[in-house]
Amino acid sequence: MERLPSTTRDKGEEGIRDVLLVALGAAFGGRCTAESLNGAGKTDLLLRIEDRNVLVGECKIWGGSAQFALDIEQLFGYLTPGDRYAALPLFIDRARPGADRSQGRPTPGRASPLCLRRHT
């Protein structure tokens, strides 16, 4: 997306998610699905290999630090004890005129007491 921004230009959260879905599907033999029931709702991305959820993902367009904390709580609601990894891909729109980027920056690992560790 960064090297070919035309693939996501003028797309919303679902459109950008679909770009990720295609890439993950190609890399993992079509095992990644979108809007899949898991935990307390439907997660944007779910990668299952055999009988395990390897990745649970919830895609978001950056809406500021306060919204980020809510997004993390939403992601945690979709997790179950057997899930291996969780991801919260943030899409930050730098090209959109008037986009408000002054609302702070994400603070991974500190946004929720439920986050035990983070991988960078």
Side-chain angles (χ1 to χ4, degrees):
M1 290 182 275
E2 186 176 33
R3 294 181 187 233
L4 191 59
S6 62
T7 59
T8 57
R9 186 175 294 127
D10 300 323
K11 287 187 173 25
E13 182 181 301
E14 288 182 8
I16 299 171
R17 180 221 43 218
D18 290 345
V19 173
L20 287 177
L21 181 66
V22 168
L24 287 169
F28 293 98
R31 294 184 194 115
C32 192
T33 59
E35 294 299 323
S36 301
L37 287 172
N38 202 61
K42 289 184 176 181
T43 185
D44 285 336
L45 299 169
L46 181 64
L47 175 60
R48 286 186 61 83
I49 297 180
E50 296 176 6
D51 62 343
R52 304 212 64 167
N53 292 345
V54 176
L55 175 70
V56 177
E58 186 61 23
C59 301
K60 294 293 180 182
I61 293 177
W62 175 246
S65 295
Q67 183 61 48
F68 180 66
L70 296 173
D71 296 340
I72 291 234
E73 294 303 317
Q74 180 183 6
L75 174 63
F76 283 146
Y78 297 150
L79 300 179
T80 63
D83 295 338
R84 299 289 307 246
Y85 293 99
L88 184 71
L90 289 174
F91 310 124
I92 300 172
D93 189 355
R94 293 184 182 167
R96 187 174 297 160
D100 186 6
R101 293 177 301 279
S102 64
Q103 300 178 31
R105 3 183 311 215
T107 53
R110 291 179 281 169
S112 171
L114 297 174
C115 188
L116 301 176
R117 65 182 169 147
R118 70 180 172 115
H119 293 274
T120 56

